[in-house]
Amino acid sequence: MTAHAIDPTDIKAKHRAMWALGDYPSVAADVIPALGPALVEACRIKPGDRVLDVAAGSGNAAIPAAIAGAEVVASDLTPELLTSGRRLAENLGLSLDWRAADAEALPFADDEFDAVISCVGVMFAPHHQASADELVRVVRPGGRIGLINWTPEGFIGQMFATMKPYAPPPPVGAQPPPLWGREDHVRLLLGDRVTDIVARREQLTVDCFGTPEEFRDFFKACYGPTIAVYRAIADTPDHVQELDRELVELARRHGHGNGTMEWEYLLFSASKRR
């Protein structure tokens, strides 16, 4: 499908509404809980650090950063996710600053944070260079930028490729989220403004789905982008059946036959040049 022009304000409203669909906090807590702690460890976050989690969702990286003793601001475009995160943090006795914010126009000062992180979050902002510029702007010289992003070749990247033919056309200028899972793309976005780059592809073992059908049905109920695609084809039952089948086949290809799957991601960290 070809891209078409949409008012930028409308793009943000659609993104906000999409991520409010379903139950992303359950995805973060039940399916990918290991990612946040892995990112915090890679960025060497320690007590007293001032940390910004961009596109924080319900806090899957922000909360582990707070557990590590950091002073954390968790920002996201979708207030409903922040509300869930705040509740989770309070149940753990943690105090974080939860802020509604656009990853492409962060409401923070230059050089404000010791570390800026994003765990499968900033990759979904439509304009990659704008988001990357903001990550660099708000971290102090010598501070750390840490990202976990799904790769194009990995399971979630392939899930988006599977859903693409059924999805509405993207707005003009919007870039595919899994591009953030390519090291060369992230290096190009950040340019010579960073140093000490460490980038490696890792596998997340997912073992919470007994069958491929279980995975499909969970994502149809809980994951905003999947829900949005199914809503777009709700009036064409043949397409619904086709996508049902393709998602099951995808899960089966990435599984081990014992209820576990491997989901590839890029773990990327760097320091802002002094």
Side-chain angles (χ1 to χ4, degrees):
M1 295 181 180
T2 57
H4 65 293
I6 297 179
D7 180 85
T9 304
D10 191 40
I11 294 173
K12 302 300 181 182
K14 288 179 182 295
H15 269 249
R16 188 181 300 118
M18 179 183 70
W19 287 105
L21 295 172
D23 187 3
Y24 185 76
S26 288
V27 177
D30 299 335
V31 184
I32 60 169
L35 292 184
L39 183 58
V40 168
E41 181 180 0
C43 292
R44 305 184 303 280
I45 290 172
K46 62 186 185 301
D49 281 349
R50 182 157 168 78
V51 175
L52 173 65
D53 186 1
V54 178
S58 52
N60 53 333
I63 289 174
I67 291 172
E71 178 186 343
V72 181
V73 178
S75 68
D76 198 275
L77 191 64
T78 304
E80 292 88 343
L81 297 181
L82 298 176
T83 298
S84 295
R86 184 182 294 108
R87 189 180 307 116
L88 289 169
E90 289 173 353
N91 289 340
L92 294 169
L94 299 170
S95 177
L96 292 80
D97 184 0
W98 301 88
R99 303 261 198 106
D102 181 354
E104 298 177 2
L106 294 169
F108 306 109
D110 295 356
D111 307 333
E112 185 170 344
F113 297 94
D114 299 303
V116 177
I117 61 176
S118 187
C119 183
V120 296
V122 73
M123 65 181 292
F124 292 102
H127 305 107
H128 295 188
Q129 192 62 63
S131 299
D133 291 347
E134 286 294 87
L135 296 177
V136 176
R137 181 182 67 80
V138 300
V139 72
R140 65 169 174 79
R144 300 174 300 286
I145 296 172
L147 307 168
I148 283 180
N149 299 312
W150 302 119
T151 66
E153 301 83 6
F155 179 77
I156 295 296
Q158 289 300 296
M159 185 186 77
F160 276 95
T162 299
M163 295 192 301
K164 183 178 179 180
Y166 302 93
V172 171
Q175 294 175 278
L179 278 179
W180 277 93
R182 286 177 40 184
E183 179 184 346
D184 60 345
H185 183 68
V186 182
R187 282 178 175 268
L188 184 63
L189 291 173
L190 300 178
D192 62 3
R193 298 173 294 178
V194 299
T195 186
D196 303 324
I197 292 172
V198 177
R200 60 180 186 269
R201 292 189 176 214
E202 301 280 2
Q203 296 286 344
L204 172 71
T205 298
V206 175
D207 58 5
C208 54
F209 304 115
T211 65
E213 290 81 5
E214 224 177 280
F215 151 76
R216 178 201 62 204
D217 293 344
F218 179 87
F219 265 59
K220 284 178 68 172
C222 296
Y223 193 60
T226 306
I227 296 169
V229 170
Y230 271 97
R231 286 189 176 184
I233 60 174
D235 293 335
T236 53
D238 288 349
H239 288 169
V240 171
Q241 291 178 6
E242 289 169 9
L243 183 54
D244 277 349
R245 176 180 51 77
E246 290 184 32
L247 289 177
V248 166
E249 290 178 356
L250 177 70
R252 188 170 288 121
R253 289 197 302 272
H254 283 260
H256 298 301
N258 61 354
T260 65
M261 292 187 282
E262 300 293 335
W263 295 6
E264 186 182 70
Y265 63 90
L266 176 71
L267 177 58
F268 185 100
S269 63
S271 299
K272 181 175 175 178
R273 196 174 295 277
R274 296 179 184 274

